[in-house]
Amino acid sequence: MDPDALPLSRAGIDRAAHLRPGGDHLRAALADPATRVLLVSDGAVVTSTGPRVALLEPAQAAHLAGMAGTAGADGTAGTDGTERMDDADDGGWLLLGRGEAGEAYLARRVAQRRPAPPVGVPSDVLVHPVPAGPDPTPERRALPDGLTWTPLRDMGAELSADDAGLATTAVALDGWHARHPRCPRCGARTRVAQSGWTRVCVADASEHYPRTDPAVIMAVVDADDRILLGHAAQWAEGRWSTLAGFVEPGESLEHAVRREVAEEAGVVVGAVSYRGSQPWPFPASLMIGFRATAETTDARADGVELTEVRWFTRGELADAVRAGDVIPPGRASIARALVEEWFGGPLS
Ligand SMILES: [Zn+2]
C-alpha cells in the first residue's frame, strides 16, 4: 500500500503553524482578496462540480455563512468590539495554512442548526468506516447555484490531494470545536485561540488542543490466505469490512490489534505489520492500518459490535461483490485499501 495514495491521507498545503499565535496573520488574511476560504459544517464542506472544494474569497465566505461582519477567530474581539467567547460566537474562522504563493487558506465554520445531543449521549463513538447516510443537516443555509454541501465521507476518494488535505483538516477542527465548548477541568466556557487551533478556559486559563483518537484497523489473513471480514449491526445489509477498534489507554498499537480481533471475532493474531494510516475525522479518528496474521481460524462474531464475521477467499469475495451479496468498504476508506491490497487489485 502506498500511504500517500490513500484518500484523505495525502499531504495538503503548508500548515504554517508559526502563523497561528495571536491571530494577526488570520486577521490580515481576512482582508486579503487572495485568501481562499472553504465553508465547513458538521462533516460536510461546500463544493462545486468536479467535485472540487469551493474556495471562496473571505467576503463571499462571510456572506454565505450569514455573517454580519468578520471577527477575530482567536476569540479576542469581533468587529463590533465585543468579546466573543461562546463557541457559537467566536467568529468561526480557522487558519488551515498557506499555499505556494503565500496565500492563506482558511475555513469558516457554519453553525449547525440541529439541537445539541442531550447530556449523557456519547458523541465520540465511531470505529468502523460506516457508509454515509442522508445529509444530517438539511437545514443549513441555502447556497447559490453551482455550490452544494457535500459530506467529506462521500467524496473523499475523488478529491485532489490539496482539496482533501484542506477539507479533512477543516472537518476535523470544526468537529472538535463543536464538541468541546467547555473546559474539561472546570466546566467553564472556553474561547478560541491560536487561529482556531486551541481553546482556552475563561476561568482557569487552561489550554486545550484538538483531539485525535487512534484506532487500529486490520486485514486479518489466515494461513490459507483468506481474509476475515465482519458485518456490524448498524451497517446496511450486505456491508462488510475489516475489523477495527479504538486503542485503549496503556496499549501499544500491536496489542490493540490483537485484543480487538480476539474480542470481536475470537481469532488469535500473531504477527502484525503496519501498512499505512488515514485521518478519519468522523468525528476524530486516526485510522492506523495493519496486516495481521491469524493463528487460529475459528471465527465467531461477538454479537455486540459485529453480528457476523467470516473468512473469504479471493474468489469468494469477488463472486460475492459481483453478485451484490457483499458491499465492500467505501472507496475513500483505508479499509477498502487494506482489502484491495490483500485482493491484489480493485474490487469493483
Ligand atoms: Zn477551566
Side-chain angles (χ1 to χ4, degrees):
M1 181 187 304
D2 175 4
D4 287 334
L6 273 173
L8 308 184
S9 295
R10 296 163 291 194
I13 54 161
D14 174 8
R15 291 179 169 236
H18 64 286
L19 299 176
R20 295 171 190 165
D24 290 345
H25 183 81
L26 178 59
R27 277 185 286 275
L30 285 171
D32 184 349
T35 295
R36 287 296 172 265
V37 185
L38 68 92
L39 298 176
V40 59
S41 181
D42 193 26
V45 297
V46 170
T47 57
S48 54
T49 50
R52 293 279 307 173
V53 170
L55 295 171
L56 311 168
E57 290 189 21
Q60 188 187 11
H63 174 71
L64 292 182
M67 289 189 65
T70 56
D74 64 345
T76 50
T79 48
D80 56 2
T82 57
E83 269 208 319
R84 296 176 179 270
M85 292 193 174
D86 275 340
D87 178 62
D89 197 26
D90 62 13
W93 298 95
L94 312 170
L95 176 60
L96 301 179
R98 63 180 180 184
E100 286 180 5
E103 75 279 20
Y105 285 87
L106 312 182
R108 171 64 169 86
R109 301 183 59 212
V110 176
Q112 302 170 22
R113 295 191 175 185
R114 61 179 176 177
V119 172
V121 173
S123 61
D124 284 290
V125 284
L126 182 139
V127 176
H128 303 276
V130 294
D135 185 340
T137 53
E139 292 181 36
R140 275 183 298 234
R141 190 171 298 272
L143 294 167
D145 285 348
L147 297 179
T148 184
W149 284 103
T150 307
L152 175 61
R153 199 199 284 266
D154 287 0
M155 61 166 176
E158 281 81 52
L159 291 178
S160 71
D162 284 353
D163 276 6
L166 289 169
T168 306
T169 305
V171 164
L173 266 183
D174 173 61
W176 174 69
H177 284 292
R179 296 191 312 283
H180 296 83
R182 292 191 171 271
C183 174
R185 287 168 45 152
C186 74
R189 288 180 303 169
T190 51
R191 65 176 177 83
V192 179
Q194 295 279 333
S195 304
W197 288 84
T198 306
R199 300 188 73 93
V200 179
C201 176
V202 300
D204 61 24
S206 57
E207 296 182 350
H208 305 280
Y209 299 91
R211 279 179 48 194
T212 298
D213 300 326
V216 291
I217 184 164
M218 42 275 174
V220 181
V221 178
D222 75 359
D224 294 329
D225 211 16
R226 298 180 300 172
I227 193 168
L228 182 66
L229 300 180
H231 173 78
Q234 73 268 33
W235 292 352
E237 178 76 21
R239 173 74 65 177
W240 289 75
S241 187
T242 53
L243 275 55
F246 284 113
V247 180
E248 293 188 343
E251 257 186 340
S252 69
L253 299 174
E254 293 82 357
H255 186 277
V257 169
R258 296 189 179 100
R259 176 184 53 76
E260 283 287 343
V261 177
E263 285 177 1
E264 294 189 353
V267 169
V268 176
V269 158
V272 171
S273 64
Y274 173 71
R275 304 306 302 146
S277 67
Q278 179 184 50
W280 195 252
F282 314 110
S285 298
L286 175 67
M287 307 303 293
I288 307 162
F290 295 90
R291 175 74 70 92
T293 302
E295 295 187 338
T296 63
T297 56
D298 182 18
R300 58 199 144 61
D302 63 4
V304 180
E305 291 203 44
L306 299 181
T307 51
E308 293 176 84
V309 290
R310 65 164 283 197
W311 295 99
F312 291 87
T313 66
R314 287 185 184 76
E316 287 168 347
L317 186 58
D319 289 347
V321 170
R322 201 177 302 120
D325 296 331
V326 164
I327 305 166
R331 292 181 193 283
S333 69
I334 189 173
R336 176 69 162 246
L338 286 166
V339 173
E340 291 189 337
E341 185 187 45
W342 161 82
F343 188 72
L347 268 172
S348 59

